[in-house]
Amino acid sequence: MRARIHSIATYLVYAGLLALIIGLGLYLVTRQFNTVVEVLLGLGLVLIGLFIVARPEQVKQALTGRTARYGGSATLMSVTLIGILVLVNFLGNRHHKRFDLTASKEYSLSPQTIQILAELKEPVDITAFFTASYYYRQEADDLITEYLYHTNKLNYRVIDPELQPGVARQYGITRDGTMLFQQGDRRQEVYYPDEKSITTAILKVTQAETKTIYFITGHKEHDPEGTGQGSYSTVRQALLDENYQVSTLNLATITDTVPVDAAALIVAAPQIPFSDKEAETLRAYLDGGGKVMFLTDPTLPNVLGNDYLAKWGFRLRDDMVVDPVNAFFGDYLTPLVSRYPYSTITKDLGGLSSFFPVARSIEPMAELPDGAITNRLIETGQNSWGETDLQNRQLSNDKSADAQGPLVLGISAERTDSGGRLVVFGDSDFAANEVLNTVSGALGNKDLFLNAVNWLTEEEILISISSKPADVRQITPLTGIQQRLILYSSIGIMPLVVIVAGAWVWWNRR
Amino acid sequence: MRNALAIARRELQAYFVSPIAYVVTAAFLLVSGYLFAAILLLSQEATLRYLFGNLTTILLFVAPLLTMRLLAEEQRSGTLELLLTSPVQDWEVVLGKWLASLGLFAGIMLLTGYYPLILWRYGNPDWGPVLTGYGGVLLLGGTLLALGTLTSALTSNQIVAAVLGVGLSVLTWLIDALSQFTGPPVSGVFDYLALSTHFYDFLRGIVDTKDVVYYASVIVVTLFLATRVLETRRWR
């Protein structure tokens, strides 16, 4: 028996190895440790065991021979080195440094973002819902890579909603490219991967208390909860998306002060004058360091009063702005603005135009009262004027009576003594549904409104982050001759140099 | 180390009289020159980013052609025994050969310096990404040359060495595709192992120390394995 086994031992070991390979292969493919796999693996081990029993001297030689000793030591050395390098790479991956050598620091995050990331205490989960064809996928990944470099408090994962529709449904995601930021039960969605949106989202989901914005009601103001053309439900939704709470407030119901949780009040074009008491409540709130946005239109009551506004460094004129040059689709009464004076609120609106249907102008005072700082937000063109003769149907620039352009349509002001902040717009329709919903979203109206609210509620760290455009450097336009010169010389010169050098060497060695 | 440099010098001289080196260099420059001009004229952008992105694919096939002779030819002609029995360490032989191929490759990349000159003449390129692009190409090239040195140690046939080198390079380049079929953390390992994933930041103008550590590690492991393979001749 033993002799028989001895003579076929070589075949046994091959059969055994074959059984092991097939068994392992089956397991790798099916990922199931079923009977067939077990039998094959068992059989392989038994056959190899038989070989060992049958030819112990051969096994012994293979294990202790010269080859085994040298081979073993070579393997051991290799495994040791690879182990060390795996460790080095593991540590190198954890503690790495990145150097952005682009001239514009194109891929570096702003100091504000880095600071926010450094102050993160609890982890934030970022779930990106990207299909394979999502256009900004790479951009988003690259940007998140920079965020992950600065903190280990972010957990980033990507879900393909086409491959895992259940997960997308579970999170209520319907739009490709949505990035969902979550901490605890706070969530914030981002639809375009730029630094400002992502940092805003991180800040919003990590802030414990949400800020409440109150819209004043009771005087036929724009209604944030209505759905009509003139109502403010679109900006209300935008505020909710930015994690603000939005509520309404009737000043007449207030016995003492404005609610303490008010981050800002919005007075959206009251058509009926405030009672003295209401106006007094509003002014007292501002003087106590409150934040107010006041939007109004031509002929509507100036509920704060020019005497009071003078304290902030400007007045409202009783006029109607006419701009025959920068007019929205030829409507002289709808000035269009695409260049903004520099201010915290407008500095990232460059290139986004906004327009203001039927507006009145604001007169900044030449001499600012003590403690007031103002910033112009919107200015109309040189050729505009403030029509004061509102009875006459014929528009005419009466240079003696009418204010001459550029005219200020929006202004921000703050009092250094109380810390109060006030934003006034000479137009209220620019943020109404009819404008925001009917005209393409690329316009700056909504951003202007939101930036102003962010400024009022002191989310300044968010306002000051601007997205960096890609640094594309065009070459000067080339003439036909230059194009051909570049083409032929790039292709020809260097290979020719090499071939001539080769031929020369060959000639000399011949 | 001095021995390694001496071997490198000798091997570089051998390259200078080798027709294959001239042909490979000329062909590579022809293709890269064509790519450079075509990309520049189409994109009108003063950048080498897209050129480097395309060159990597070509490098996968060119690098093994530069290294195929290194150790295979010595084995075929029997001169390897002379080298190994001389008072030179095995690792010095491997390192010297690899350094020679790296020197040749650096020379080839020096000749591509004509392209940034054109960019400078007709535009205002951002030099940061140009610099990191060259750095990345040298690191990636060094890694591919190391892989080629390893396959050249495995066989005495140059063609076999080249084909094995291409196969090994392409596999290592593309291994991150496997991460599609596995979940974390295994997918992260495959992503990390791939040559390609570590090249991306260099293209954009970013130097990340972890990419440098990765390429250096692959070079060290590969040259170490090549040395072990040579060593087997002593006891096989």
Side-chain angles (χ1 to χ4, degrees):
Chain A
M1 177 68 185
R2 184 156 180 163
R4 291 272 300 273
I5 293 177
H6 186 97
S7 62
I8 58 165
T10 324
Y11 302 110
L12 285 183
V13 78
Y14 286 137
L17 285 174
L18 194 67
L20 278 183
I21 289 169
I22 295 175
L24 274 175
L26 263 180
Y27 172 68
L28 281 176
V29 172
T30 61
R31 286 295 158 98
Q32 277 171 350
F33 216 77
N34 55 24
T35 327
V36 183
V37 173
E38 278 171 19
V39 167
L40 277 168
L41 291 181
L43 187 68
L45 289 177
V46 168
L47 286 175
I48 291 171
L50 275 177
F51 171 78
I52 294 171
V53 172
R55 297 207 179 158
E57 68 289 352
Q58 201 172 336
V59 173
K60 189 180 171 207
Q61 214 225 323
L63 286 180
T64 57
R66 210 167 95 91
T67 309
R69 264 186 292 127
Y70 282 104
S73 99
T75 311
L76 190 67
M77 281 166 73
S78 306
V79 168
T80 310
L81 180 84
I82 290 173
I84 291 170
L85 285 177
V86 165
L87 192 67
V88 166
N89 276 267
F90 181 75
L91 293 175
N93 198 18
R94 288 219 150 177
H95 307 280
H96 62 131
K97 284 265 170 288
R98 286 170 79 80
F99 303 96
D100 184 350
L101 270 69
T102 55
S104 61
K105 293 276 172 283
E106 200 175 333
Y107 307 107
S108 304
L109 298 177
S110 67
Q112 297 92 313
T113 295
I114 293 171
Q115 191 196 336
I116 289 171
L117 293 178
E119 288 166 2
L120 277 183
K121 288 185 188 69
E122 297 295 319
V124 174
D125 294 319
I126 309 174
T127 316
F129 295 86
F130 296 157
T131 61
S133 58
Y134 176 56
Y135 185 74
Y136 296 111
R137 170 80 190 262
Q138 189 68 54
E139 245 172 80
D141 280 347
D142 292 347
L143 194 54
I144 293 292
T145 301
E146 300 301 329
Y147 276 81
L148 297 178
Y149 172 56
H150 287 286
T151 179
N152 54 9
K153 291 278 196 288
L154 296 179
N155 304 317
Y156 179 58
R157 64 173 180 152
V158 178
I159 301 282
D160 186 334
E162 281 171 354
L163 299 179
Q164 293 171 275
V167 183
R169 215 174 301 125
Q170 176 196 336
Y171 285 101
I173 304 292
T174 52
R175 182 167 156 183
D176 188 15
T178 303
M179 298 173 89
L180 179 65
F181 292 71
Q182 286 173 298
Q183 185 183 75
D185 53 0
R186 284 186 295 275
R187 54 181 273 161
Q188 179 82 18
E189 290 178 17
V190 167
Y191 305 109
Y192 178 76
D194 65 7
E195 186 186 342
K196 186 174 172 185
S197 314
I198 290 174
T199 303
T200 305
I202 290 173
L203 202 56
K204 292 233 161 137
V205 296
T206 51
Q207 271 170 346
E209 94 262 37
T210 48
K211 298 180 171 173
T212 307
I213 309 287
Y214 284 94
F215 280 85
I216 305 297
T217 59
H219 317 84
K220 295 180 110 177
E221 288 93 344
H222 290 283
D223 182 5
E225 273 146 16
T227 50
Q229 295 279 289
S231 62
Y232 265 24
S233 57
T234 306
V235 288
R236 173 177 179 270
Q237 189 55 48
L239 288 172
L240 292 174
D241 290 344
E242 298 254 319
N243 268 20
Y244 287 106
Q245 275 191 343
V246 177
S247 192
T248 55
L249 176 69
N250 192 327
L251 287 175
T253 63
I254 292 172
T255 51
D256 186 13
T257 60
V258 170
V260 283
D261 70 336
L265 303 185
I266 296 181
V267 184
Q271 297 182 30
I272 301 165
F274 282 14
S275 70
D276 287 349
K277 188 158 177 302
E278 285 171 327
E280 204 38 60
T281 309
L282 190 60
R283 289 180 199 133
Y285 169 69
L286 263 172
D287 288 340
K291 329 282 187 208
V292 171
M293 182 192 287
F294 174 37
L295 307 100
T296 184
D297 288 305
T299 73
L300 293 188
N302 176 354
V303 293
L304 282 166
N306 269 344
D307 291 342
Y308 178 76
L309 287 178
K311 226 173 93 175
W312 293 79
F314 60 92
R315 297 188 188 89
L316 275 166
R317 292 198 191 94
D318 287 315
D319 61 1
M320 187 184 292
V321 176
V322 181
D323 193 336
V325 178
N326 297 309
F328 183 70
F329 287 117
D331 179 357
Y332 288 9
L333 295 180
T334 303
L336 181 80
V337 175
S338 53
R339 299 177 69 93
Y340 304 85
Y342 185 85
S343 73
T344 324
I345 293 174
T346 53
K347 69 182 175 188
D348 66 342
L349 290 178
L352 289 176
S353 51
S354 39
F355 62 93
F356 305 88
V358 193
R360 71 200 281 181
S361 67
I362 294 164
E363 179 191 2
M365 285 155 53
E367 294 235 344
L368 280 180
D370 277 350
I373 303 169
T374 61
N375 257 310
R376 298 164 188 215
L377 305 178
I378 303 143
E379 275 179 352
T380 57
Q382 293 285 342
N383 301 332
S384 57
W385 73 89
E387 181 67 52
T388 46
D389 183 6
L390 299 180
Q391 306 307 318
N392 192 344
R393 284 173 164 264
Q394 200 66 37
L395 296 172
S396 65
N397 190 354
D398 178 359
K399 296 207 167 153
S400 59
D402 297 346
Q404 300 298 307
L407 298 172
V408 177
L409 296 189
I411 196 162
S412 68
E414 61 182 307
R415 295 286 314 181
T416 50
D417 41 12
S418 65
R421 287 183 169 192
L422 174 62
V423 172
V424 172
F425 289 107
D427 178 50
S428 68
D429 307 308
F430 82 93
N433 286 359
E434 59 182 327
V435 169
L436 295 182
N437 294 349
T438 49
V439 188
S440 149
L443 296 168
N445 290 30
K446 189 159 90 179
D447 287 358
L448 178 66
F449 187 91
L450 287 179
N451 284 0
V453 172
N454 285 337
W455 179 76
L456 285 173
T457 58
E458 286 186 322
E459 299 277 19
E460 235 178 309
I461 197 160
L462 299 181
I463 298 178
S464 55
I465 297 170
S466 57
S467 298
K468 273 175 229 152
D471 185 9
V472 175
R473 303 194 177 199
Q474 296 282 334
I475 53 171
T476 51
L478 301 171
T479 64
I481 295 176
Q482 287 170 329
Q483 291 194 11
R484 283 187 291 277
L485 184 71
I486 289 174
L487 184 64
Y488 298 143
S489 69
S490 309
I491 296 176
I493 290 183
M494 289 305 153
L496 260 179
V497 166
V498 171
I499 286 170
V500 167
W504 185 75
V505 168
W506 173 79
W507 180 263
N508 280 326
R509 286 171 52 89
R510 194 171 46 112
Chain B
M1 192 64 202
R2 193 188 295 157
N3 291 332
L5 288 177
I7 291 173
R9 199 174 307 122
R10 198 198 65 115
E11 201 63 42
L12 259 181
Q13 281 164 2
Y15 271 129
F16 272 100
V17 295
S18 142
I20 288 181
Y22 285 98
V23 171
V24 171
T25 304
F28 177 79
L29 289 170
L30 192 77
V31 175
S32 67
Y34 170 71
L35 282 174
F36 166 74
I39 290 170
L40 178 67
L41 296 181
L42 286 175
S43 74
Q44 304 277 321
E45 261 185 65
T47 175
L48 290 182
R49 179 174 169 174
Y50 311 112
L51 173 70
F52 285 136
N54 283 296
L55 278 190
T56 53
T57 320
I58 299 167
L59 277 184
L60 296 177
F61 297 89
V62 167
L65 295 180
L66 297 178
T67 52
M68 62 182 185
R69 213 194 77 253
L70 291 178
L71 293 160
E73 179 64 13
E74 303 263 16
Q75 296 182 61
R76 192 193 62 82
S77 63
T79 45
L80 188 64
E81 264 64 34
L82 289 177
L83 254 184
L84 294 184
T85 48
S86 67
V88 181
Q89 303 275 322
D90 293 359
W91 65 267
E92 289 174 324
V93 174
V94 172
L95 185 65
K97 298 267 183 184
W98 173 74
L99 277 177
S101 67
L102 189 63
L104 174 64
F105 179 65
I108 298 175
M109 291 320 290
L110 201 66
L111 293 179
T112 67
Y114 181 64
Y115 312 149
L117 280 182
I118 288 185
L119 294 187
W120 174 71
R121 169 71 183 77
Y122 293 105
N124 173 32
D126 186 354
W127 293 109
V130 172
L131 215 66
T132 60
Y134 270 108
V137 164
L138 279 181
L139 270 175
L140 174 68
T143 311
L144 294 174
L145 293 169
L147 291 173
T149 309
L150 172 61
T151 58
S152 181
L154 287 170
T155 168
S156 58
N157 184 321
Q158 290 190 39
I159 308 293
V160 172
V163 172
L164 279 180
V166 170
L168 188 59
S169 302
V170 172
L171 262 184
T172 325
W173 179 260
L174 293 178
I175 201 162
D176 60 320
L178 282 181
S179 67
Q180 306 267 342
F181 309 110
T182 49
V186 182
S187 61
V189 173
F190 283 127
D191 272 337
Y192 187 83
L193 280 180
L195 288 171
S196 52
T197 52
H198 294 274
F199 191 68
Y200 179 65
D201 275 341
F202 288 108
L203 284 179
R204 300 194 298 155
I206 297 174
V207 177
D208 194 319
T209 53
K210 77 170 184 235
D211 299 329
V212 180
V213 167
Y214 164 82
Y215 282 126
S217 305
V218 176
I219 291 173
V220 169
V221 166
T222 313
L223 294 182
F224 181 85
L225 290 179
T227 311
R228 296 282 85 76
V229 169
L230 279 196
E231 233 177 38
T232 60
R233 299 182 68 84
R234 295 188 193 284
W235 46 265
R236 234 184 341 198

